[in-house]
Amino acid sequence: MDISGRTRVCGLLANPVEHTLSPVLHNTLAEKTGINLVYVPFKPEVENLGTAVEGAYSLNVLGLNVSIPFKQEVMKYLVDIDKSAKDIGAVNTLVRTEGGFKGYNTDISGLKKAFLSEGIQIKGQKIILLGAGGAAKAIAYLMALEGASKVYILNRTYGRAAVIAKEINECFAMDHVIPLALEDYRKLPKDSYLGIQTTSVGMHPNVEHAVVEDPEFYKLLHTAYDIIYTPAETKFMKYTKEAGGRAYNGLKMLLYQGVVAYELWNQTQVGQEVVDLVYKRMEQELRK
Ligand code: NAP
């Protein structure tokens, strides 16, 4: 990589930041699109987030990704926020504009592109969403936006599922989103669902677990999408396949949220060939 006086800097604000795949993703994008850009990890202390964002702007940083624990807190330090990011109350991408950074949530557009690339339809689908954390809220929003016919949110802590369901129903003036306690999965109407797994259960190193262990549950799913990508095949995916469904991991969601951020920073469109190459490189990195 040739660093010169024209090299632009992008990066990730997260704490911890050490295990991120984003530098591989964005530096490969820069290499393959021929844009003179370097992407680096930044690890501000929680109490220094404001000065980190202001400092990055003063240093002419082109754009930033934002991850745990800063996705909500960072909104205070922005000059503008895109509507969908404002609706869900979380920002994962900062784009340099006149006077400060503007916030976006590319997890939403990234998952939409990931579903498209895997051939997973949202419109008219009945969805089971497992989990009610930050990722689940963005996904519930996308499902409502794209016309899912029902979204059941199941969570260990029922109250968190209820809050998300209420907020999304209010946002879209509808009543399609229904909260349930996780152990109440047996109360789901017998039907064929797209299941989206957003809890941290099953993620490396706890690879021997799925958030629901009952094989009967998996007979409800025609398709499973686990937003976890380590391991490449989670227990949730394995159980779905054993019950006859299709299953995908979350690496494409991560890939496309990055591609959308990169396109915003550089006002460019990344071709599919480059996207496929970046995906391969991310897979290689995970195998290391
Ligand atoms: P979060 O806000 O901390 O939410 C965690 C969720 O997992 C909550 O619903 C929590 O339930 C549930 N949970 C945790 N331990 C559990 C257990 N033992 N049994 C049942 N439920 C349990 O996290 P997040 O930001 O939404 O992220 C969730 C996962 O998605 C992480 O593994 C993250 O790495 C992954 N992720 C992937 C992508 C991608 O691009 N592929 C993007 C974002 C996140 P309670 O409410 O009951 O605590």
Side-chain angles (χ1 to χ4, degrees):
M1 184 182 297
D2 288 327
I3 307 277
S4 70
R6 297 183 192 283
T7 302
R8 297 306 302 268
V9 177
C10 287
L12 170 64
L13 295 174
N15 192 347
V17 76
E18 289 78 4
H19 298 293
T20 177
L21 276 179
S22 292
V24 170
L25 195 170
H26 288 287
N27 288 316
T28 308
L29 279 171
E31 180 193 323
K32 298 298 171 193
T33 57
I35 293 176
N36 191 349
L37 179 154
V38 65
Y39 185 100
V40 288
F42 295 116
K43 189 182 174 184
E45 294 304 322
V46 173
E47 63 276 17
N48 294 335
L49 178 64
T51 47
V53 172
E54 281 162 23
Y57 191 79
S58 302
L59 288 168
N60 199 28
V61 165
L62 179 64
L64 292 163
N65 286 133
V66 183
S67 192
I68 292 168
F70 302 126
K71 284 184 179 186
Q72 285 86 32
E73 181 75 8
V74 77
M75 296 173 81
K76 280 192 229 159
Y77 306 108
L78 307 177
V79 290
D80 194 8
I81 298 173
D82 182 60
K83 182 182 180 314
S84 55
K86 209 181 280 176
D87 282 346
I88 66 161
V91 155
N92 80 327
T93 298
L94 310 189
V95 176
R96 190 176 187 83
T97 63
E98 193 71 35
F101 287 112
K102 177 172 178 179
Y104 292 82
N105 191 308
T106 69
D107 283 334
I108 303 170
S109 33
L111 185 65
K112 185 178 166 183
K113 285 191 176 217
F115 273 19
L116 203 65
S117 97
E118 307 283 26
I120 303 172
Q121 207 189 318
I122 303 172
K123 195 172 172 55
Q125 292 290 306
K126 298 184 181 84
I127 317 277
I128 296 172
L129 186 56
L130 293 152
K137 187 169 179 194
I139 293 171
Y141 181 89
L142 176 69
M143 296 303 119
L145 187 70
E146 294 296 315
S149 68
K150 272 274 187 275
V151 182
Y152 293 94
I153 305 181
L154 278 67
N155 198 44
R156 177 178 63 178
T157 310
Y158 170 78
R160 294 183 82 190
V163 168
I164 294 181
K166 185 170 179 287
E167 286 179 5
I168 304 292
N169 282 330
E170 277 174 8
C171 188
F172 290 91
M174 62 176 199
D175 58 2
H176 296 1
V177 186
I178 297 161
L180 279 176
L182 183 59
E183 65 270 21
D184 285 342
Y185 66 84
R186 291 182 197 83
K187 294 183 183 165
L188 286 162
K190 292 277 171 281
D191 212 323
S192 185
Y193 296 90
L194 162 61
I196 307 175
Q197 199 304 112
T198 77
T199 76
S200 42
V201 182
M203 189 167 70
H204 181 80
N206 301 310
V207 298
E208 288 309 319
H209 300 283
V211 67
V212 179
E213 295 283 355
D214 180 357
E216 284 302 307
F217 170 75
Y218 293 89
K219 293 181 184 164
L220 296 171
L221 308 183
H222 60 76
T223 304
Y225 196 91
D226 195 331
I227 71 168
I228 290 173
Y229 48 83
T230 53
E233 185 182 75
T234 63
K235 268 278 153 65
F236 184 77
M237 293 166 62
K238 185 167 176 284
Y239 289 151
T240 305
K241 286 182 188 168
E242 283 169 1
R246 303 185 291 162
Y248 304 89
N249 71 31
L251 194 59
K252 287 222 168 131
M253 176 180 174
L254 181 72
L255 167 75
Y256 280 105
Q257 63 73 34
V259 169
V260 175
Y262 187 86
E263 289 178 338
L264 285 168
W265 296 329
N266 296 293
Q267 295 174 6
T268 188
Q269 289 282 305
V270 180
Q272 193 58 45
E273 243 173 71
V274 171
V275 173
D276 293 344
L277 246 159
V278 173
Y279 185 70
K280 279 204 187 97
R281 196 145 319 158
M282 289 166 75
E283 283 186 312
Q284 281 165 5
E285 189 68 20
L286 281 175
R287 281 197 290 270
K288 276 184 186 169

